[in-house]
Amino acid sequence: MKVTFKPLSQQVMVITGASSGIGLATAQTAAARGARLVLAARNETALATVTDRIRAEGGQAIYVVADVGSREDVQRIADRTMQEFGTFDTWINDAGLSIWGRLEEISDEDHRRLFDVNFWGIVYGSLIAVGHLKKHGGTLINLGSAASDVAFPLQGMYSASKHAIKGFTDALRIELEEQDAPVSVTLIKPAAINTPFPHHARNYMESEPKLPPPVYHPQEVAEAILYAATHPERDIYVGSSSKMFSSINKTAPRVMDWVSRNLMVDLQKREETPRNPVGTLFEGGSGGFVDGDEPGYVMKTSLYTRASLHPLLTGAIVAGSALAMMAWLGRERG
């Protein structure tokens, strides 16, 4: 059955992890484009602030305080959505966190909690959302990572959780297609994104963590998510480095191992002591911020991602640029 996509201005959209980072950037952009929103996270203060801001600007939004590691909480998000809007068209599973440290140093309790949020949160959200979307049609969007395809040292269990998300999302998509269900399923795979993600992570290192470059602005991921809400995309890589790492790992895995072994450890450490080593693994922390405090350069756009989502437009731009260059060269020769 063909999936029918409504314009964003006619959609009801559920976003988990909506109090900061990618989730918040997506919520703000979706609201500006007319979507009605249900925002979920653990931080009620941040959710209330964001919801009030959206309403003050003429948008429609409600929030639900929820821990996605609890199926009951995720079901409450769906129930509240149905109470308020009677339906939803797109469900975005964005909530996630990380742990920085060597695998052998991290407690089992912390490892399990990370999987509860990152993996089981997406499982609960996906299965609950699909129960509705199979009947009414719509889109499920799960946030993976470059780490869905590549393992990164010092974030080993995070990488494992993102690998698991990819396997689950791919299997769910296949089952839905086999049933001819009117549901589009997209996995988003961002590269390093400048959000409060490192600050929220549980940190076992003696240094403040950071993301390996290149680092991109959160709005690039928000744009990819909202594109998937209106187009049938299987996977979207945000940032050329995400696609590059994935491709290298598939074709020359030992080369990627060498890169990770020799570069990735130092590239994930800042030259300062940890500021918040406990992080928000078990308790919601500060929210309300889209951007992190990446000390290096942050790329505003990813030409690779934009080209992959708009190949005809990009081709026209490239062709136009080539013609303009040829004309300019002709004038110079004349």
Side-chain angles (χ1 to χ4, degrees):
M1 185 180 295
K2 184 177 179 181
V3 181
T4 301
F5 295 91
K6 295 179 182 178
L8 287 177
S9 61
Q10 297 177 20
Q11 287 200 28
V12 175
M13 185 174 291
V14 178
I15 306 173
T16 70
S19 62
S20 67
I22 292 168
L24 178 54
T26 304
Q28 292 174 339
T29 307
R33 296 176 188 176
R36 292 169 287 169
L37 302 178
V38 179
L39 310 179
R42 292 176 296 172
N43 187 324
E44 183 169 13
T45 300
L47 285 175
T49 299
V50 173
T51 301
D52 288 345
R53 186 186 310 138
I54 289 172
R55 290 172 175 171
E57 294 172 354
Q60 295 184 62
I62 64 169
Y63 70 84
V64 181
V65 179
D67 181 339
V68 297
S70 161
R71 187 182 184 107
E72 291 74 19
D73 278 19
V74 179
Q75 183 62 58
R76 189 155 43 79
I77 298 171
D79 293 343
R80 183 72 180 89
T81 302
M82 298 303 291
Q83 278 181 348
E84 182 72 19
F85 297 114
T87 189
F88 56 86
D89 305 288
T90 296
W91 184 295
I92 301 163
N93 288 310
D94 171 69
L97 40 78
S98 190
I99 302 173
W100 259 271
R102 298 185 185 276
L103 287 165
E104 60 192 316
E105 299 172 346
I106 299 168
S107 71
D108 290 347
E109 181 184 19
D110 285 356
H111 275 156
R112 289 194 181 98
R113 172 59 180 166
L114 182 142
F115 250 81
D116 282 344
V117 175
N118 286 15
F119 177 67
W120 286 106
I122 277 186
V123 170
Y124 298 147
S126 297
L127 297 181
I128 289 170
V130 162
H132 175 79
L133 295 174
K134 284 175 67 174
K135 301 173 185 175
H136 302 277
T139 305
L140 173 68
I141 301 172
N142 288 341
L143 268 291
S145 166
S148 294
D149 298 333
V150 180
F152 291 100
L154 300 182
Q155 291 192 79
M157 199 56 72
Y158 173 80
S159 298
S161 71
K162 293 299 182 177
H163 276 57
I165 289 166
K166 179 184 183 300
F168 167 79
T169 301
D170 288 350
L172 179 61
R173 182 189 301 109
I174 293 167
E175 292 181 2
L176 290 169
E177 289 175 349
E178 188 274 333
Q179 297 172 65
D180 205 23
V183 185
S184 176
V185 179
T186 301
L187 182 65
I188 309 287
K189 299 179 182 179
I193 306 297
N194 182 34
T195 71
F197 179 80
H199 186 66
H200 291 168
R202 174 75 170 93
N203 182 19
Y204 279 75
M205 302 190 303
E206 295 181 357
S207 303
E208 178 70 9
K210 74 180 187 73
L211 296 165
V215 179
Y216 296 84
H217 193 274
Q219 188 62 30
E220 281 298 278
V221 191
E223 294 294 344
I225 290 170
L226 296 180
Y227 185 89
T230 54
H231 296 82
E233 293 290 331
R234 184 183 191 276
D235 300 280
I236 299 178
Y237 293 87
V238 180
S240 59
S241 60
S242 178
K243 179 62 175 179
M244 179 183 67
F245 288 157
S246 177
S247 298
I248 293 173
N249 201 55
K250 288 177 182 177
T251 58
R254 293 301 294 174
V255 172
M256 194 65 233
D257 288 352
W258 185 93
V259 170
S260 294
R261 181 173 67 250
N262 289 279
L263 300 176
M264 287 298 174
V265 171
D266 289 340
L267 287 174
Q268 295 183 82
K269 297 178 180 179
R270 294 174 68 148
E271 295 182 357
E272 59 184 274
T273 57
R275 291 176 287 177
N276 180 34
V278 175
T280 62
L281 194 60
F282 291 93
E283 299 290 339
S286 59
F289 299 97
V290 169
D291 298 310
D293 64 346
E294 164 60 34
Y297 179 72
V298 176
M299 300 183 71
K300 295 294 184 183
T301 60
S302 167
L303 294 179
Y304 165 80
T305 301
R306 297 194 179 201
S308 69
L309 297 181
H310 306 283
L312 294 178
L313 175 60
T314 302
I317 292 171
V318 170
S321 298
L323 290 172
M325 178 61 72
M326 290 172 65
W328 180 80
L329 288 173
R331 288 197 301 271
E332 288 294 302
R333 286 174 183 160

